Amino acid sequence: MGIISSSIARKVAMALSGLFLVLFLGQHFTINLTSTFSPETFNEFSHFMGTNFLVQAILQPVLIFGVIFHFVMGFILEIRNRSARQISYVSYKGSANSSWVSRNMIYSGIVILAFLGLHFYDFWFPEIAYKYIEGNPADATRYYGELVEKFHSPVRTGLYVLSFIFLALHLYHGFASSFQSVGFNNKYATALKKFAKVYAIAIPAGFIFIALFHHFNH
Amino acid sequence: MKLTLKIWRQENAKAKGAMKTYPIDGIEGDMSFLEMLDVLNEELINKGEVPVEFDHDCREGICGSCSLQINGEPHGPDRLVTTCQLHMRKFNDGDTIVIEPFRATAFPVVTDLIVDRTAFDRIQHAGGYISVNTSGNTIDANSIPVNKHDADDSFNAATCIGCGACVAACKNASAMLFTSAKVSQYALLPQGQVEAVERVENMVRQMDLEGFGNCTNTGACEIECPKGISLENIARMNREYLSATSKG
Ligand code: HEM
Ligand code: SF4
Ligand code: FES
């Protein structure tokens, strides 16, 4: 934890873990998208991800560590930042100088965290139980059916859609902001930031599309 | 102009302060915000009350002494000006103006609207200098050519007057804009290279020790800075810091 004791190291760590999650999100989206046009492709990808040794033994633990690191660090920063202003202003006009999303990363983050709880309960825990606890035989065709079944519920579909909106808010500030955090701020960064803003809306919008697609099509 | 002022009054560092309301009349649009407070103080003194204490010195936007959180923004609603340069014509007859001290744990209130900003001095002392002996052996400034772009960026960073508005504006009370301006003005020049590694490490360490918050890139500092110090300086400081730590 040596270097994490400095504010800039924490900032960079936050950015790198965030960027890593953004990459993962893109990959997750690509696989999910196949479920809307080719159940077979979706099953193949899912089976690969679920059974490949490298994915299961390395990528998955790294990802879980990344998520935990990111949100724990997010809470640590929030606590420190609150204590940096113990007496608050009577009148504080944040809207005059900064965007709502940038000031409320912790709240969009908390919604995402709650969503991850639901998401793990929906897919990850049953998956782990199926494979490693009950020790069921490998079945390369079950994934698509499990997915479709989950999105029957209007409540679940609604919660997913809502969470993706908050994910978009989180990324709308976060993705572009992470370039600044790692020290990248020049004319190329300006173009990259535009891409980040588009990505921040497009990917969550895509996830919303997938959720609604399965809800209304089956 | 007739105004209602809501001002933070606090007798001393230990006292519990509170907002107090003062009606005021006869304010001209050409007055500066501080002149408006002078008018109020004259009235208070005439009535035998304790005048409102606030920091000021040059009253022309160069010393960085004046402060004040005015209606929720440091140095008030205008851009690229300090409180001493803020004209009352930016307000309307009948307005209520809330005036508070800059709030940060690292900037404790001394009295009323005066806060202790010596934390900035300590950050500056930790590395905001170059140790070249210039007494008696001054070298011509042009003997080391500097790229115009770098010279301009360095100059712009050096225009930071250390007022603390960046900290006051930031939701995290982060001092990154100030510190990065002080790091950048040297990082961009050949004269600053000798102490580059220690400078950024020591200044950032001091900044953290003072209890300022962590930057989350909201950009509030850049908008509220009376000198237009750019966020690019923060990115530069992050790069400097990363390269310094990688050099050990
Ligand atoms: C699990 C719940 C999460 C919480 C509690 C959370 C919390 C936070 C907080 C408080 C920040 C602001 C800190 C800062 O800007 O320095 C932040 C930044 C960020 N987050 Fe999250 N987050 C969560 C999930 C995610 C996810 C799933 C992603 C990506 C898919 C993500 C991507 C980012 C990015 C890119 C940043 C910007 C880092 C920077 O400004 O340098 N976060 N997060
Ligand atoms: S960076 Fe701007 S706001 Fe901050 S101390 Fe310097 S001049 Fe004031
Ligand atoms: S009094 Fe000097 S900058 Fe305002």
Side-chain angles (χ1 to χ4, degrees):
Chain A
M1 285 303 265
I3 58 157
I4 304 282
S5 61
S6 103
S7 60
I8 295 187
R10 281 191 293 268
K11 188 177 162 78
V12 172
M14 199 67 197
L16 293 180
S17 58
L19 281 174
F20 171 71
L21 295 179
V22 165
L23 274 182
F24 162 74
L25 199 69
Q27 175 250 315
H28 196 340
F29 173 72
T30 312
I31 294 179
N32 286 16
L33 189 64
T34 61
S35 72
T36 61
F37 56 84
S38 165
E40 299 75 39
T41 318
F42 178 73
N43 275 336
E44 270 169 42
F45 268 131
S46 303
H47 190 67
F48 172 78
M49 297 304 280
T51 51
N52 182 275
F53 176 75
L54 285 181
V55 174
Q56 289 294 304
I58 298 175
L59 229 55
Q60 180 159 282
V62 169
L63 177 65
I64 291 175
F65 173 80
V67 173
I68 295 176
F69 178 90
H70 184 82
F71 81 74
V72 168
M73 194 58 122
F75 284 120
I76 293 175
L77 287 177
E78 182 67 16
I79 292 165
R80 282 176 160 268
N81 291 344
R82 278 171 192 252
S83 76
R85 177 170 294 130
Q86 277 146 359
I87 303 171
S88 31
Y89 288 111
V90 172
S91 156
Y92 178 73
K93 205 168 163 202
S95 60
N97 50 38
S98 52
S99 66
W100 187 90
V101 280
S102 74
R103 279 177 281 124
N104 292 284
M105 291 295 277
I106 192 69
Y107 299 109
S108 50
I110 287 170
V111 175
I112 302 173
L113 187 59
F115 165 77
L116 287 179
L118 173 68
H119 195 49
F120 269 54
Y121 169 82
D122 279 350
F123 291 97
W124 198 71
F125 293 138
E127 179 69 17
I128 293 297
Y130 183 95
K131 280 189 302 207
Y132 301 125
I133 298 173
E134 295 159 13
N136 292 320
D139 171 5
T141 57
R142 67 195 160 91
Y143 305 95
Y144 183 75
E146 288 171 1
L147 172 79
V148 167
E149 188 220 296
K150 286 282 188 282
F151 285 100
H152 275 160
S153 154
V155 177
R156 181 180 284 107
T157 309
L159 287 176
Y160 271 60
V161 169
L162 194 72
S163 308
F164 292 134
I165 293 172
F166 278 88
L167 178 63
L169 295 178
H170 197 74
L171 293 183
Y172 194 73
H173 173 70
F175 192 5
S177 154
S178 55
F179 303 129
Q180 164 83 4
S181 298
V182 297
F184 188 47
N185 186 339
N186 56 29
K187 62 177 188 286
Y188 304 108
T190 314
L192 206 57
K193 278 181 188 170
K194 286 207 183 98
F195 165 76
K197 300 269 178 202
V198 173
Y199 185 99
I201 305 238
I203 298 291
F207 274 113
I208 290 177
F209 163 74
I210 299 170
L212 294 178
F213 178 91
H214 290 299
H215 180 66
F216 289 110
N217 273 295
H218 307 284
Chain B
M1 222 188 307
K2 219 174 171 160
L3 300 165
T4 306
L5 305 177
K6 293 197 165 160
I7 304 179
W8 180 262
R9 300 303 309 262
Q10 182 174 338
E11 220 177 303
N12 55 52
K14 299 232 157 58
K16 195 174 172 297
M19 297 301 285
K20 235 185 128 180
T21 306
Y22 300 93
I24 190 168
D25 200 354
I27 299 303
E28 306 283 337
D30 292 343
M31 287 180 179
S32 77
F33 201 85
L34 297 187
E35 282 165 340
M36 184 273 294
L37 289 177
D38 291 339
V39 171
L40 173 73
N41 276 346
E42 228 165 74
E43 279 177 21
L44 292 178
I45 291 167
N46 286 338
K47 283 196 278 187
E49 290 180 32
V50 185
V52 178
E53 300 226 28
F54 59 88
D55 263 325
H56 63 103
D57 187 15
C58 72
R59 296 212 177 192
E60 54 185 4
I62 52 172
C63 74
S65 296
C66 61
S67 53
L68 309 186
Q69 188 84 355
I70 302 165
N71 283 345
E73 286 183 81
H75 299 298
D78 212 357
R79 295 286 170 252
L80 299 172
V81 295
T82 52
T83 297
C84 59
Q85 300 170 296
L86 175 66
H87 282 108
M88 290 313 294
R89 67 177 81 98
K90 296 284 162 187
F91 300 90
N92 300 313
D93 189 41
D95 276 3
T96 296
I97 307 178
V98 181
I99 311 169
E100 297 174 79
F102 282 178
R103 293 286 188 200
T105 308
F107 286 168
V109 172
V110 179
T111 26
D112 294 341
L113 302 171
I114 298 182
V115 296
D116 179 353
R117 284 171 282 180
T118 50
F120 270 13
D121 298 344
R122 290 186 291 273
I123 294 175
Q124 185 77 338
H125 294 168
Y129 53 80
I130 55 167
S131 27
V132 175
N133 182 1
T134 50
S135 51
N137 50 2
T138 319
I139 297 169
D140 183 84
N142 295 321
S143 63
I144 307 174
V146 179
N147 164 333
K148 168 81 173 135
H149 203 76
D150 290 343
D152 286 350
D153 284 352
S154 169
F155 184 86
N156 288 339
T159 59
C160 163
I161 54 176
C163 64
C166 41
V167 174
C170 177
K171 87 181 230 305
N172 310 316
S174 163
M176 288 286 276
L177 194 64
F178 165 79
T179 310
S180 71
K182 299 301 172 195
V183 165
S184 285
Q185 76 183 70
Y186 299 108
L188 285 156
L189 298 179
Q191 291 85 343
Q193 300 317 307
V194 184
E195 285 136 318
V197 170
E198 305 95 86
R199 174 176 307 110
V200 69
E201 283 181 345
N202 292 340
M203 290 181 80
V204 168
R205 184 180 308 118
Q206 191 62 36
M207 175 182 85
D208 290 346
L209 280 176
E210 298 291 348
F212 292 107
N214 295 263
C215 175
T216 58
N217 301 331
T218 70
C221 53
E222 182 185 54
I223 305 285
E224 299 289 357
C225 171
K227 297 295 147 186
I229 301 295
S230 157
L231 285 181
E232 281 172 37
N233 291 298
I234 298 185
R236 181 178 301 107
M237 176 161 79
N238 293 349
R239 290 199 294 279
E240 288 280 311
Y241 189 85
L242 289 176
S243 90
T245 35
S246 67
K247 283 175 195 149

